[in-house]
Amino acid sequence: MPKISVIGAINWDINLFVERFPRIGEEVPVERIMRVPGGKGANVAVAAARLLGHGQVALIGCLGRDDIAERQIKILKDEGVDVSGIKFTGSAESGQAYILIDDEGRNIINTLFGANLELKPEDLRCERILSLLRASSIIVLIDPILETLMAAASIAKEYGKIVMWDAGVRSTLGAERLKEILRNVDYLVINEVEVKNLTGETNPLEAWRILSEINQQITLILKLGERGCSMINRRIMASVPPVNLEELGLKVVNTVGCGDSFLGAFAASKAQGLGDIESLERANLAGALKVTRPETRGSPSREMLERYLKFRAKARIIRR
């Protein structure tokens, strides 16, 4: 049975590599096209499975009854992900994302959520999915519909699980509207734009203070991209600087999926029994290694992460 269950989107990504982004009304040639599996939920599940091994991570989501779904299931199984928690619907096609990537690795994403919107709260109570949630020590929430998020967070806490949430696009709803979910979250993993959307604050410490009024036990993890990451909770405030890829002879190719690699590695490290700081350092390294790969699911294998572990950036403890 799995150590981690991930609830979130499964998409088929069409990556369009261009020299630069077009202006409104302008046509820019596509230099290369890559069609690859994606979706934040699936990406996180694969990133964690690559580090934990076969059958240790389950994905809970929804696909259409189409050719994309058949390809997705085969790929996920090949990655060692438990797919028994995936629902199929005939009322929507499988999710798809259309991604422009420029020469600097930056991206613009347009997503058809499709079947991803069909995972409902009642689905989580079916025995097949409920057994996965009961077996897992960590539940990772990504981007199902709001009602399903609320139900998932509640069920996870009902069974005493560690809950990690990448609030993503839901952060625009604000902390007040999301407080029912936030009360059940142990680790909130978001970026700078999302923390501002969620709390109205750009200062991470002030943002955590607002969140702690809802949940005193919450840990805020900020993904800072090329500036590394940071963590704040009641006990500690720490930051991890970026990994120097140039010193390793590596370069940025594609930043799409870096946050998913980060979260997958953090969850996997915690599932292995590692502490918060070491897990944060490993997650930071995994996100950095992902940018050197063109594919969305370019997260490192266990062997690759271990090979570069000695080059990981060390955390700076600001307070205890």
Side-chain angles (χ1 to χ4, degrees), residues 2-5 133-139 160-163 270-271:
K3 294 179 179 176
I4 298 171
S5 284
L133 298 176
R134 283 196 296 252
S136 301
S137 59
I138 296 173
I139 310 298
K161 308 304 181 180
I162 295 172
V163 180
K270 291 296 294 179

Side-chain angles (χ1 to χ4, degrees), residues 200-215:
E201 286 288 341
T202 56
N203 181 299
L205 185 56
E206 290 304 315
W208 174 79
R209 284 174 177 156
I210 289 171
L211 295 168
S212 68
E213 291 176 4
I214 298 171
N215 177 358

Side-chain angles (χ1 to χ4, degrees), residues 64 67 89 125 165 179-180 186 199 219 256 277 288 295 303:
D67 291 342
T89 179
R125 290 287 181 181
W165 183 28
K179 63 183 179 182
E180 185 176 334
D186 297 290
T199 67
T219 293
V256 179
I277 296 300
E295 63 270 30
E303 293 72 24

